[in-house]
Amino acid sequence: EVQLVESGGGLVQAGGSLRLSCAASGFTFDDYYIGWFHQAPGKEREGVSSISGNDGSTYYGDSVKGRFTISSDSAKNMVYLQMNNLKPEDTALYYCAAGRRRSWWWDPGGYEFWGQGTQVTVSS
């Protein structure tokens, strides 16, 4: 059974930090890219960051560069998103996703498996 489970969301003030975690199981971690996406009400799902399970290459959306850091622990099949200097516009439901790279890293269509999401709310 393929499963992705996110955790670590919550309510924080602007300028604060959160660390999201994604626990992956049921597939070979090294064969996939793991991505973080977010979706706010009424808006499209948007790529936040991605990491290669094979070589650790990382990618970031322009809006989070310098503030967010993605990392992985392949031995534990875990992926993390450290979010610093959070802004109200970061408020969204955050999803962990896994897929083989067949398109741009930020394209949701390139990810086959998805978690249930964890809510991040940043107050001003």
Side-chain angles (χ1 to χ4, degrees):
E1 179 182 353
V2 174
Q3 190 171 38
L4 297 170
V5 180
E6 305 97 331
S7 62
L11 174 64
V12 298
Q13 295 180 355
S17 298
L18 286 172
R19 189 176 78 154
L20 305 184
S21 298
C22 174
S25 62
F27 62 94
T28 303
F29 186 86
D30 288 351
D31 290 341
Y32 286 81
Y33 284 76
I34 311 298
W36 286 99
F37 290 76
H38 68 191
Q39 187 168 21
K43 301 188 71 175
E44 296 292 322
R45 190 166 298 187
E46 183 178 49
V48 177
S49 185
S50 185
I51 188 167
S52 168
N54 183 24
D55 65 9
S57 299
T58 59
Y59 309 87
Y60 296 94
D62 289 342
S63 66
V64 306
K65 288 179 179 177
R67 298 190 298 122
F68 292 8
T69 303
I70 192 170
S71 61
S72 64
D73 184 341
S74 60
K76 298 180 179 179
N77 279 7
M78 295 289 294
V79 177
Y80 307 97
L81 185 68
Q82 179 66 46
M83 305 186 294
N84 296 327
N85 192 24
L86 283 160
K87 302 176 180 180
E89 50 263 45
D90 296 319
T91 295
L93 188 64
Y94 282 72
Y95 295 92
C96 178
R100 298 183 182 273
R101 181 73 77 85
R102 298 187 179 93
S103 186
W104 312 123
W105 72 265
W106 43 260
D107 182 5
Y111 295 83
E112 181 178 2
F113 307 114
W114 294 81
Q116 83 289 344
T118 185
Q119 179 67 38
V120 172
T121 303
V122 184
S123 62
S124 60

